[in-house]
Amino acid sequence: AARTPAKAPQAAAAKPRANKPAAAPAKPPATPAKSPDEVAADLQKTLAMMDALMERVGDAADKAAVRLAVSMGADEAQVGALVERQAEAKARKAAAQKGQPPAAQNGAPPAGPPMPAPKKKGWQAPQDAKTREKALKDGCPPCAPPLERCWHCFPNLPPAGAWDWLGQD
């Protein structure tokens, strides 16, 4: 009788185990939602901190500009004028932050309202009703009846510009 080799006993721990997902990290306790007033207060606090930081940066830049002027050989009058301009700029900025109108400069009255933008040269779409009507009727083919009937139910189109197909030659 032939002997068969004995099988090694298998340990119970050698059984394949299913992969278990790693434990999820513990979530921090949920914070209650903030009210809009609390969020606005937080934003104002953050903006105030940013303003203070930018003020410190501006002061450092002003000091550096004075040191640079001195190192480049500026005399006392030039340095004094530079410091004066910096002080005026700082005062204007502080007044603007408080909502005050800008102070008069060099005895001149404060600036009035901003100047309107210069008129654009070149082709411009007709903006008044009379010119638009003339442009639509001059050599224009008659409108299709369904479109004519429904025309007033659509919102007005934005004014045409030079980039529109009507403005191109």
Side-chain angles (χ1 to χ4, degrees):
R3 287 183 88 188
T4 59
K7 292 184 180 178
Q10 293 182 355
K15 290 183 182 177
R17 295 193 306 182
N19 289 338
K20 291 183 180 179
K27 291 184 180 178
T31 57
K34 292 184 177 184
S35 71
D37 292 335
E38 291 173 328
V39 172
D42 285 348
L43 286 173
Q44 287 177 342
K45 182 179 173 184
T46 302
L47 289 174
M49 288 179 3
M50 291 172 65
D51 285 343
L53 178 64
M54 292 307 296
E55 188 68 31
R56 287 179 36 210
V57 169
D59 291 344
D62 288 347
K63 289 177 184 177
V66 170
R67 285 195 309 267
L68 179 64
V70 169
S71 70
M72 298 292 289
D75 60 15
E76 287 185 28
Q78 291 171 326
V79 172
L82 175 63
V83 170
E84 186 178 318
R85 282 195 310 268
Q86 290 173 346
E88 288 173 3
K90 193 170 184 174
R92 279 194 309 272
K93 181 180 174 186
Q97 286 177 342
K98 293 178 183 176
Q100 298 173 351
Q105 296 177 5
N106 300 332
M115 296 294 292
K119 282 200 162 196
K120 193 169 80 170
K121 294 180 181 179
W123 182 85
Q124 288 184 341
Q127 300 299 324
D128 59 297
K130 183 180 176 183
T131 309
R132 280 180 182 251
E133 178 120 1
K134 182 180 181 303
L136 289 173
K137 289 189 177 179
D138 267 354
C140 183
C143 189
L147 185 61
E148 189 174 69
R149 181 185 43 175
C150 188
W151 187 258
H152 296 289
C153 66
F154 291 108
N156 290 336
L157 295 173
W163 60 89
D164 289 331
W165 66 272
L166 286 173
Q168 297 175 357
D169 291 335

